[in-house]
Amino acid sequence: MDKIIIEGGNTLKGKVKLSGAKNAALPVLSACILAGGHHRIQRVPALRDIRTIREIMSGMGVIFQDDNGTLLVNSEGICEKEASYDLVKTMRASILLLGPLLARLGKARISLPGGCAIGARPVNLHLKALAAMGVDMFLDHGYINASVDNLKGADIFFDIPTVTGTENIMMAAVRAKGKTILKNAAKEPEIINLADMLRGMGASIEGDGTDTIVINGVSELGTVEHTIIPDRIEAGTFMMAATMNRGEIEIEGCQPDHLTAVIKKLQSVGAKIEATSMGVLVKGPDIIKSVDIKTMPFPGFPTDLQAQFMAMMCIADGSSVIKEAVFENRFIHVNELQRMGADIVVDGDKAIVRGKRNLQAAQVMATDLRASASLILAGLVAGDGRTEVSRIYHLDRGYEAFEDKFRALGANMWREKA
Ligand code: UD1
C-alpha cells in the first residue's frame, strides 16, 4: 500500500489549480445514462472514485473515451447488469446509478451499500422516495432489486436533506410522468451543477439551490456538453494549508460563494482572504486563533472539511469545540492526530481541541478520505522529522495529484510505492 512521506516545516507559497469536484462528477456521469448517445463532460478529475463509477457503468455497456481533458461518454448501448458488491463496497455513491437506471430501463440491481468508516450512512431516504414514485423494490442477497413500468411524479419530503438522495430522485424525476416536488432538498452547489446538466439535456427543473425543487417530467432527453464545477472541498483544504503554514496560496478556480461559511471561519482564525481575477488568495496569520465550528448541510460548514479544520485547531492559540452534526462517528482521525501530539478529547458528537504550538512528526494511518488530508496538513507543519501517512488509497479516492500540487507550493513531500 502506498504511503506519503512529508518533511514538514516549509512555508507554502504559490498558485494551485483546482480539479473538478468529485462529488459533482459522480452524479453527472451517472446522469449520462438518462439519454442514449454521446455526451461530452469536461473537467472530470482523475480519481479512484471516478474510475470506480466508470468501471460499473462500463460493465453496463457504457463506453468512455478520454479526449484531452474531456470525457466522452456513449451511453447508447446501456444494458441490464448489476452493480456488484465488490465495487459498491468501495464507493457508496454507486447508489447514484439507481435513479437513472430506473428512468432509462425501468430496472436496476445494485448492491446495498454496507457500513462505512464514518457512520451508518443508510440509503432509506432514496428508497422511500423511489417507492413514492411507483418503484417496486426488494432486497435479495444484499442487492436492491428495483423495477417500475412507469415512473410517476410525487411529492417527496426528505426527513434529512440528503445530497446523493436529492440527486438520485432528481435523475429519476426528470423522466417521470408528471410533476415531482422535493421538499427539504439538499442545496449543495453539486446539486445545481447536476440540475444545469439535466436542463442541458432538456429536463424541466426549478428551485435547485433552494430546499424545494420542482421537476416536470419529460418524455425524452438528449445528449449534453457539460463542465464539472471546481472542487470546493479541495479549495478549502488548500485554504487551511495556507493558514496553518503562514503561507500564501492563490487558489485558481475557487468560487468563494461555494465556501462562504469556511471563509468566514478562516477569517476569524486570522487568515487574510481576498478574491483575485483567478480565484482566491489566502495568507496565513502569525498566530492562529481558536474558533469553534459545527458541521451542517450547505450553506453551513461542510463535514468534508471538519478533519482538516481540526488539524488546524491543533496548533491554534487556545481551545476550540468541533461539533460533527452531519455524520456519527466522524472523529476517527482523532487517534492519529493524537499520535502527532495533538490534545483532543472526544465527547459524543463534540471534540474539544486544546491548541499547542507544535505537532510532532509521526507514522500515522489514513482512516478515510478527508482524514487523510488532515494528517497531511498536520505533517506539513510538524517540522521535527518525517511524517509517514499510510493507507493513502483513501486520499486517492478524492484528491487529484495532491502531493504534486503541494510540492509545487514548496512542500517537501513524496509518495512511496509499496
Ligand atoms: C454526500 C457527499 C459526501 C458528504 C455528504 C454530506 C457525495 C458523493 N458525497 O454524501 O462527501 O460528506 O454528502 O455533505 O456527494 N441519511 C439517511 N438516510 C438516507 C441518506 C442519508 O439517514 O437515505 C443521513 C446520513 O446518514 C447523514 C445525512 O443523512 O447523516 C446526510 O447524508 P447525505 O447528504 O446523504 O450524504 P451522502 O449523499 O452520502
Side-chain angles (χ1 to χ4, degrees):
M1 275 184 275
D2 291 4
K3 54 187 173 189
I4 282 186
I5 319 287
I6 307 148
E7 282 182 354
N10 290 9
T11 304
L12 304 176
K13 217 171 167 42
K15 288 184 187 182
V16 64
K17 191 169 175 192
L18 294 179
S19 300
K22 165 181 90 73
N23 287 353
L26 290 170
V28 160
L29 293 183
S30 308
C32 290
I33 289 177
L34 285 167
H38 292 74
H39 308 278
R40 291 176 70 87
I41 313 295
Q42 273 145 28
R43 215 193 274 141
V44 178
L47 299 169
R48 199 157 70 93
D49 274 8
I50 300 297
R51 286 198 291 279
T52 303
I53 198 116
R54 282 178 60 163
E55 198 177 332
I56 300 175
M57 290 171 68
S58 299
M60 295 172 172
V62 178
I63 299 165
F64 293 93
Q65 201 187 328
D66 292 287
D67 178 25
N68 257 331
T70 299
L71 188 60
L72 309 178
V73 187
N74 177 2
S75 59
E76 196 64 60
I78 184 96
C79 59
E80 236 192 282
K81 262 276 160 64
E82 69 181 27
S84 73
Y85 176 67
D86 285 345
L87 290 168
V88 174
K89 74 175 182 208
T90 68
M91 189 189 68
R92 300 177 46 78
S94 317
I95 194 73
L96 281 167
L97 294 165
L98 188 54
L101 284 170
L102 286 166
R104 175 93 180 269
L105 300 174
K107 274 191 177 163
R109 182 173 155 85
I110 296 188
S111 171
L112 186 67
C116 105
I118 60 173
R121 291 185 91 170
V123 290
N124 57 316
L125 301 175
H126 302 229
L127 304 186
K128 193 174 148 203
L130 287 170
M133 298 178 76
V135 178
D136 287 322
M137 275 168 287
F138 65 94
L139 192 67
D140 160 38
H141 297 94
Y143 282 74
I144 303 164
N145 280 279
S147 62
V148 64
D149 286 336
N150 290 302
L151 278 166
K152 57 179 175 34
D155 277 12
I156 289 157
F157 181 86
F158 289 112
D159 296 339
I160 304 171
T162 155
V163 178
T164 48
T166 301
E167 292 163 348
N168 226 343
I169 306 311
M170 279 166 71
M171 292 187 279
V174 288
R175 294 277 301 256
K177 198 166 167 40
K179 183 187 280 194
T180 299
I181 304 180
L182 304 182
K183 294 201 178 122
N184 201 24
K187 297 183 275 198
E188 271 67 3
E190 292 76 17
I191 305 270
I192 300 177
N193 194 241
L194 174 65
D196 283 341
M197 176 211 187
L198 295 171
R199 279 188 285 263
M201 295 171 89
S204 162
I205 306 176
E206 283 172 17
D208 44 296
T210 76
D211 60 6
T212 304
I213 304 177
V214 180
I215 301 156
N216 280 297
V218 294
S219 53
E220 241 187 82
L221 293 170
T223 55
V224 72
E225 252 192 79
H226 181 74
T227 304
I228 304 294
I229 50 171
D231 195 319
R232 65 192 166 99
I233 304 302
E234 186 192 19
T237 305
F238 280 104
M239 285 179 172
M240 288 180 207
T243 307
M244 289 173 76
N245 283 72
R246 297 169 182 84
E248 189 170 326
I249 304 180
E250 185 173 14
I251 303 168
E252 283 187 36
C254 178
Q255 290 181 230
D257 56 326
H258 290 178
L259 284 148
T260 309
V262 175
I263 289 174
K264 286 240 173 304
K265 288 293 176 185
L266 287 174
Q267 285 168 332
S268 307
V269 156
K272 296 261 174 301
I273 300 180
E274 56 192 74
T276 65
S277 58
M278 305 297 282
V280 159
L281 179 71
V282 185
K283 289 185 201 164
D286 286 336
I287 293 175
I288 298 168
K289 291 185 212 141
S290 54
V291 168
D292 299 344
I293 57 160
K294 176 182 175 188
T295 64
M296 302 271 279
F298 191 84
F301 192 98
T303 175
D304 285 352
L305 285 170
Q306 179 257 105
Q308 301 87 319
F309 196 89
M310 187 184 289
M312 185 168 64
M313 287 301 98
C314 291
I315 53 160
D317 185 28
S319 297
S320 55
V321 178
I322 294 182
K323 182 170 163 126
E324 175 54 59
V326 176
F327 290 116
E328 71 217 58
N329 201 22
R330 201 174 193 175
F331 284 141
I332 336 169
H333 43 279
V334 167
N335 290 340
E336 301 301 307
L337 288 170
Q338 283 167 337
R339 288 181 49 73
M340 301 180 74
D343 183 348
I344 308 169
V345 176
V346 174
D347 178 13
D349 60 359
K350 291 192 195 79
I352 297 106
V353 187
R354 292 189 195 92
K356 291 180 158 186
R357 271 217 164 285
N358 298 308
L359 288 172
Q360 299 161 15
Q363 289 174 304
V364 287
M365 202 189 280
T367 48
D368 71 46
L369 165 55
R370 305 305 169 184
S372 359
S374 79
L375 296 174
I376 289 173
L377 295 189
L380 284 166
V381 292
D384 62 342
R386 279 186 171 197
T387 293
E388 285 188 22
V389 185
S390 59
R391 298 208 176 161
I392 215 64
Y393 56 87
H394 287 294
L395 184 84
D396 296 336
R397 286 188 48 206
Y399 285 98
E400 189 179 45
F402 204 49
E403 67 267 29
D404 297 341
K405 290 184 181 185
F406 269 115
R407 258 204 312 273
L409 293 168
N412 196 6
M413 174 169 158
W414 64 95
R415 177 180 294 244
E416 277 183 7
K417 297 258 172 212

